[in-house]
């Protein structure tokens, strides 16, 4: 199968019907995307497919044939950290950080579509991302700050 991953064309040979997350982690050494629940509940595995955040644990790899996929490794823009990454780095809203890559990808996909959201809209957008350390208030605030910085 062929697709674009983090701006580069990629050809991968797949056997059976692996999920995208398996292909990233086991064939492409893109281990920033995490396995959490494996059931599309926690959001730890989210990546962008054609600009929308999707759970890669339940997304068949072959379904992204010909599409643009971005993982947490590909969020940089023009060689610099994405503003959301930069604010997360400065504010450090996480504890263990296991949810961070899914949060980042979901936040970036959301802000691309809604660059100036309210806090309530951010809460709604992040609804599918679970943080087991419960650092939600700091994460929401960091995304809000990033949106204002980008504006
Ligand atoms: S690991 Fe995919 S949503 Fe939890
Ligand atoms: S900081 Fe630990 S799961 Fe979110």
């Amino acid at each position: 199968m062929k697709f674009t991953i983090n701006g580069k064309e990629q050809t991968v040979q797949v056997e059976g019907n692996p999920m995208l997350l398996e292909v990233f982690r086991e064939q492409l050494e893109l281990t920033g995307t995490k396995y959490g629940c494996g059931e599309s509940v926690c959001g730890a595995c989210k990546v962008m497919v054609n600009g929308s955040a999707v759970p890669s644990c339940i997304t068949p790899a072959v379904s992204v044939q010909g599409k643009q996929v971005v993982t947490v490794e590909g969020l940089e823009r023009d060689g610099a950290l994405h503003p959301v990454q930069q604010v997360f780095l400065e504010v450090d809203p996480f504890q263990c950080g296991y949810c961070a890559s899914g949060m980042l990808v979901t936040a970036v996909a959301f802000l691309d579509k809604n660059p100036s959201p309210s806090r309530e809209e951010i809460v709604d957008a992040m609804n599918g991302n679970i943080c087991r350390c419960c650092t939600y208030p700091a994460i929401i605030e960091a995304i809000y700050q990033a949106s204002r910085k980008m504006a």
Side-chain angles (χ1 to χ4, degrees), residues 21 34-46 55-58:
L21 180 60
K34 304 300 183 206
Y35 178 90
C37 62
E39 298 176 349
S40 185
V41 174
C42 73
C45 67
K46 283 200 176 165
S56 61
C57 68
I58 59 152

PDB file of all heavy atoms in Angstrom, residues 21 34-46 55-58, ligand 1:
ATOM      1  N   LEU A  21      -2.027   1.579  13.553  1.00  0.00           N
ATOM      2  CA  LEU A  21      -1.127   1.697  14.709  1.00  0.00           C
ATOM      3  C   LEU A  21      -0.021   0.644  14.682  1.00  0.00           C
ATOM      4  O   LEU A  21       1.148   0.946  14.958  1.00  0.00           O
ATOM      5  CB  LEU A  21      -1.936   1.558  16.010  1.00  0.00           C
ATOM      6  CG  LEU A  21      -1.163   1.666  17.314  1.00  0.00           C
ATOM      7  CD1 LEU A  21      -0.477   3.018  17.445  1.00  0.00           C
ATOM      8  CD2 LEU A  21      -2.090   1.444  18.506  1.00  0.00           C
ATOM      9  N   LYS A  34       0.690   6.008  20.592  1.00  0.00           N
ATOM     10  CA  LYS A  34       0.623   5.025  21.688  1.00  0.00           C
ATOM     11  C   LYS A  34      -0.584   4.094  21.588  1.00  0.00           C
ATOM     12  O   LYS A  34      -1.637   4.477  21.092  1.00  0.00           O
ATOM     13  CB  LYS A  34       0.570   5.741  23.043  1.00  0.00           C
ATOM     14  CG  LYS A  34       1.715   6.707  23.289  1.00  0.00           C
ATOM     15  CD  LYS A  34       3.057   6.007  23.241  1.00  0.00           C
ATOM     16  CE  LYS A  34       4.191   6.966  23.560  1.00  0.00           C
ATOM     17  NZ  LYS A  34       5.451   6.541  22.966  1.00  0.00           N
ATOM     18  N   TYR A  35      -0.390   2.901  22.140  1.00  0.00           N
ATOM     19  CA  TYR A  35      -1.496   1.951  22.288  1.00  0.00           C
ATOM     20  C   TYR A  35      -2.055   2.097  23.703  1.00  0.00           C
ATOM     21  O   TYR A  35      -1.313   2.014  24.676  1.00  0.00           O
ATOM     22  CB  TYR A  35      -0.991   0.519  22.094  1.00  0.00           C
ATOM     23  CG  TYR A  35      -2.068  -0.521  22.273  1.00  0.00           C
ATOM     24  CD1 TYR A  35      -2.838  -0.943  21.191  1.00  0.00           C
ATOM     25  CD2 TYR A  35      -2.326  -1.062  23.523  1.00  0.00           C
ATOM     26  CE1 TYR A  35      -3.839  -1.879  21.356  1.00  0.00           C
ATOM     27  CE2 TYR A  35      -3.330  -2.001  23.701  1.00  0.00           C
ATOM     28  CZ  TYR A  35      -4.081  -2.407  22.615  1.00  0.00           C
ATOM     29  OH  TYR A  35      -5.072  -3.332  22.786  1.00  0.00           O
ATOM     30  N   GLY A  36      -3.355   2.343  23.783  1.00  0.00           N
ATOM     31  CA  GLY A  36      -3.994   2.431  25.104  1.00  0.00           C
ATOM     32  C   GLY A  36      -5.013   1.338  25.264  1.00  0.00           C
ATOM     33  O   GLY A  36      -4.741   0.263  25.782  1.00  0.00           O
ATOM     34  N   CYS A  37      -6.229   1.600  24.761  1.00  0.00           N
ATOM     35  CA  CYS A  37      -7.333   0.651  24.954  1.00  0.00           C
ATOM     36  C   CYS A  37      -7.479  -0.333  23.800  1.00  0.00           C
ATOM     37  O   CYS A  37      -7.989  -1.429  23.978  1.00  0.00           O
ATOM     38  CB  CYS A  37      -8.628   1.433  25.111  1.00  0.00           C
ATOM     39  SG  CYS A  37      -9.035   2.401  23.630  1.00  0.00           S
ATOM     40  N   GLY A  38      -7.084   0.083  22.612  1.00  0.00           N
ATOM     41  CA  GLY A  38      -7.275  -0.772  21.436  1.00  0.00           C
ATOM     42  C   GLY A  38      -8.715  -0.840  20.973  1.00  0.00           C
ATOM     43  O   GLY A  38      -9.061  -1.644  20.112  1.00  0.00           O
ATOM     44  N   GLU A  39      -9.577   0.001  21.539  1.00  0.00           N
ATOM     45  CA  GLU A  39     -11.018  -0.084  21.218  1.00  0.00           C
ATOM     46  C   GLU A  39     -11.630   1.265  20.857  1.00  0.00           C
ATOM     47  O   GLU A  39     -12.821   1.472  21.044  1.00  0.00           O
ATOM     48  CB  GLU A  39     -11.770  -0.651  22.430  1.00  0.00           C
ATOM     49  CG  GLU A  39     -11.351  -2.040  22.808  1.00  0.00           C
ATOM     50  CD  GLU A  39     -12.061  -2.529  24.068  1.00  0.00           C
ATOM     51  OE1 GLU A  39     -12.715  -1.704  24.744  1.00  0.00           O
ATOM     52  OE2 GLU A  39     -11.938  -3.727  24.354  1.00  0.00           O
ATOM     53  N   SER A  40     -10.824   2.201  20.459  1.00  0.00           N
ATOM     54  CA  SER A  40     -11.345   3.519  20.069  1.00  0.00           C
ATOM     55  C   SER A  40     -12.005   4.271  21.221  1.00  0.00           C
ATOM     56  O   SER A  40     -12.985   4.986  21.011  1.00  0.00           O
ATOM     57  CB  SER A  40     -12.350   3.362  18.914  1.00  0.00           C
ATOM     58  OG  SER A  40     -12.753   4.622  18.459  1.00  0.00           O
ATOM     59  N   VAL A  41     -11.478   4.096  22.413  1.00  0.00           N
ATOM     60  CA  VAL A  41     -12.080   4.771  23.570  1.00  0.00           C
ATOM     61  C   VAL A  41     -11.159   5.848  24.149  1.00  0.00           C
ATOM     62  O   VAL A  41     -11.614   6.931  24.515  1.00  0.00           O
ATOM     63  CB  VAL A  41     -12.422   3.751  24.688  1.00  0.00           C
ATOM     64  CG1 VAL A  41     -12.906   4.461  25.953  1.00  0.00           C
ATOM     65  CG2 VAL A  41     -13.480   2.773  24.193  1.00  0.00           C
ATOM     66  N   CYS A  42      -9.855   5.596  24.188  1.00  0.00           N
ATOM     67  CA  CYS A  42      -8.971   6.477  24.977  1.00  0.00           C
ATOM     68  C   CYS A  42      -8.318   7.604  24.185  1.00  0.00           C
ATOM     69  O   CYS A  42      -7.908   8.609  24.756  1.00  0.00           O
ATOM     70  CB  CYS A  42      -7.897   5.653  25.665  1.00  0.00           C
ATOM     71  SG  CYS A  42      -6.622   5.028  24.540  1.00  0.00           S
ATOM     72  N   GLY A  43      -8.154   7.435  22.888  1.00  0.00           N
ATOM     73  CA  GLY A  43      -7.555   8.495  22.066  1.00  0.00           C
ATOM     74  C   GLY A  43      -6.035   8.525  22.063  1.00  0.00           C
ATOM     75  O   GLY A  43      -5.441   9.371  21.393  1.00  0.00           O
ATOM     76  N   ALA A  44      -5.381   7.616  22.793  1.00  0.00           N
ATOM     77  CA  ALA A  44      -3.910   7.635  22.856  1.00  0.00           C
ATOM     78  C   ALA A  44      -3.267   7.410  21.488  1.00  0.00           C
ATOM     79  O   ALA A  44      -2.138   7.821  21.251  1.00  0.00           O
ATOM     80  CB  ALA A  44      -3.419   6.567  23.833  1.00  0.00           C
ATOM     81  N   CYS A  45      -4.002   6.743  20.603  1.00  0.00           N
ATOM     82  CA  CYS A  45      -3.437   6.331  19.307  1.00  0.00           C
ATOM     83  C   CYS A  45      -3.819   7.251  18.164  1.00  0.00           C
ATOM     84  O   CYS A  45      -3.628   6.905  17.011  1.00  0.00           O
ATOM     85  CB  CYS A  45      -3.952   4.930  18.995  1.00  0.00           C
ATOM     86  SG  CYS A  45      -5.739   4.961  18.701  1.00  0.00           S
ATOM     87  N   LYS A  46      -4.361   8.420  18.483  1.00  0.00           N
ATOM     88  CA  LYS A  46      -4.903   9.244  17.393  1.00  0.00           C
ATOM     89  C   LYS A  46      -3.828   9.798  16.469  1.00  0.00           C
ATOM     90  O   LYS A  46      -2.754  10.218  16.907  1.00  0.00           O
ATOM     91  CB  LYS A  46      -5.752  10.379  17.963  1.00  0.00           C
ATOM     92  CG  LYS A  46      -7.110   9.856  18.409  1.00  0.00           C
ATOM     93  CD  LYS A  46      -8.125  10.942  18.529  1.00  0.00           C
ATOM     94  CE  LYS A  46      -9.487  10.336  18.870  1.00  0.00           C
ATOM     95  NZ  LYS A  46     -10.438  11.346  19.334  1.00  0.00           N
ATOM     96  N   PRO A  55      -8.717   7.315  15.465  1.00  0.00           N
ATOM     97  CA  PRO A  55      -8.018   6.327  16.300  1.00  0.00           C
ATOM     98  C   PRO A  55      -7.335   5.275  15.418  1.00  0.00           C
ATOM     99  O   PRO A  55      -8.006   4.510  14.724  1.00  0.00           O
ATOM    100  CB  PRO A  55      -9.144   5.709  17.144  1.00  0.00           C
ATOM    101  CG  PRO A  55     -10.398   5.970  16.389  1.00  0.00           C
ATOM    102  CD  PRO A  55     -10.176   7.143  15.490  1.00  0.00           C
ATOM    103  N   SER A  56      -6.010   5.267  15.437  1.00  0.00           N
ATOM    104  CA  SER A  56      -5.284   4.355  14.537  1.00  0.00           C
ATOM    105  C   SER A  56      -5.377   2.903  14.987  1.00  0.00           C
ATOM    106  O   SER A  56      -5.050   2.003  14.214  1.00  0.00           O
ATOM    107  CB  SER A  56      -3.817   4.781  14.417  1.00  0.00           C
ATOM    108  OG  SER A  56      -3.169   4.741  15.663  1.00  0.00           O
ATOM    109  N   CYS A  57      -5.845   2.665  16.230  1.00  0.00           N
ATOM    110  CA  CYS A  57      -5.951   1.274  16.714  1.00  0.00           C
ATOM    111  C   CYS A  57      -7.066   0.507  16.041  1.00  0.00           C
ATOM    112  O   CYS A  57      -7.066  -0.720  16.052  1.00  0.00           O
ATOM    113  CB  CYS A  57      -6.131   1.236  18.226  1.00  0.00           C
ATOM    114  SG  CYS A  57      -7.722   1.895  18.797  1.00  0.00           S
ATOM    115  N   ILE A  58      -8.032   1.217  15.476  1.00  0.00           N
ATOM    116  CA  ILE A  58      -9.145   0.511  14.807  1.00  0.00           C
ATOM    117  C   ILE A  58      -9.250   0.910  13.334  1.00  0.00           C
ATOM    118  O   ILE A  58     -10.250   0.624  12.683  1.00  0.00           O
ATOM    119  CB  ILE A  58     -10.502   0.767  15.495  1.00  0.00           C
ATOM    120  CG1 ILE A  58     -10.835   2.257  15.524  1.00  0.00           C
ATOM    121  CG2 ILE A  58     -10.557   0.159  16.888  1.00  0.00           C
ATOM    122  CD1 ILE A  58     -12.320   2.525  15.533  1.00  0.00           C
TER     123      ILE A  58
HETATM  124  S1  LIG B   1      -5.670   2.850  21.764  1.00  0.00           S
HETATM  125 FE1  LIG B   1      -6.862   3.645  20.159  1.00  0.00          FE
HETATM  126  S2  LIG B   1      -8.435   4.755  21.143  1.00  0.00           S
HETATM  127 FE2  LIG B   1      -7.361   3.787  22.763  1.00  0.00          FE
END
